[in-house]
């Protein structure tokens, strides 16, 4: 699928991003929620769809897209799958707004065709978690960074081993709008991070959670895993399952 970023990113954008294959895990029971799950840098949607299919969440439909292949600065311009360009994973690194907007729009497009009675969510790992959190801020502000309206209503956001893009301006942008503040306070977010993460530092994950909290995201849970590196473990996925079941009111029904 190709997507021209001029619809979602900067008004003068001309780059077209070619998104890869999307993998869908159908709900084994009654469909109550759809979640778009975003992989990490250099990965693909199928890697996570295989794991998500094994989770005891029969009421969730998982949509696992694959990011465009593009040159990535952190790898010296070597091309790989990436939701946006990144040169340094740190609090002060510049944000690739064009890439973030294009990927957030792709996520919203995938969710926009779901039935009206289905709750919607977005989650991801590493760079995918960063993109999920960026999508959360678009939902709360009611618009993309270029002012175009954000079209879907998110009910849950999950980020594993990730970070918050555009954190420096988030609080001031939310404080300008009572509606944004209301949405921020009510949106459930789960962030999980390993203390031994040597790719996205645990401290950066912690600072991202603090930035969200100070911007008014009151329904936020941050979980640390002692010694965990830049990967997931069954204990962490159990936490995700329990949290989603509680926050989304999933009943485990099969029909």
């Amino acid at each position: 699928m190709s997507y021209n970023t001029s619809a979602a990113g900067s008004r003068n954008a001309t780059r077209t991003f070619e998104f890869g294959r999307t993998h869908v895990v159908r709900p084994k029971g009654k469909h109550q929620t759809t979640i778009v799950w975003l992989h990490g840098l250099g990965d693909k949607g199928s890697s996570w769809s295989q794991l998500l299919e094994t989770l005891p969440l029969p009421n969730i439909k998982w949509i696992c897209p694959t990011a465009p292949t593009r040159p990535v600065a952190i790898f010296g311009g070597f091309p790989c799958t990436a939701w946006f360009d990144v040169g340094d994973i740190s609090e002060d690194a510049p944000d690739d707004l064009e890439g973030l907007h294009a990927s957030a729009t792709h996520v919203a497009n995938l969710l926009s065709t779901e039935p009206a009675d289905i709750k919607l969510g977005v989650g991801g790992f590493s760079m995918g978690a960063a993109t999920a959190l960026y999508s959360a801020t678009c939902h709360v502000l009611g618009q993309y960074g270029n002012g175009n309206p954000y079209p879907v209503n998110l009910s849950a956001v999950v980020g594993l081993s990730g970070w918050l893009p555009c954190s420096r301006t988030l609080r001031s942008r939310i404080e300008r709008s009572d509606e944004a503040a209301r949405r921020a306070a009510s949106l459930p977010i789960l962030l999980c991070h390993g203390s031994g993460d040597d790719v996205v530092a645990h401290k950066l994950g912690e600072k991202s959670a603090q930035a969200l909290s100070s911007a008014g995201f009151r329904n936020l849970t941050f979980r640390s895993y002692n010694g965990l590196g830049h990967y997931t473990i069954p204990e962490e996925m159990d936490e995700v399952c329990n949290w989603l079941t509680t926050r989304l009111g999933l009943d485990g029904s099969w029909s």
Side-chain angles (χ1 to χ4, degrees), residues 217-236:
F217 289 81
R218 297 176 194 161
N219 197 353
L220 184 147
T221 302
F222 184 80
R223 290 277 187 267
S224 294
Y225 292 85
N226 189 36
L228 179 64
H230 197 64
Y231 50 87
T232 189
I233 53 174
E235 180 186 355
E236 186 179 48

Side-chain angles (χ1 to χ4, degrees), residues 88-91 126 161-164 192-209 222 228-230:
D88 177 32
I89 301 175
S90 71
E91 197 178 8
S126 190
S161 306
W163 72 96
L164 174 66
C192 301
H193 219 113
S195 66
D197 195 328
D198 59 354
V199 177
V200 181
H202 180 269
K203 191 69 180 173
L204 179 57
E206 217 169 26
K207 285 184 176 180
S208 295
F222 184 80
L228 179 64
H230 197 64

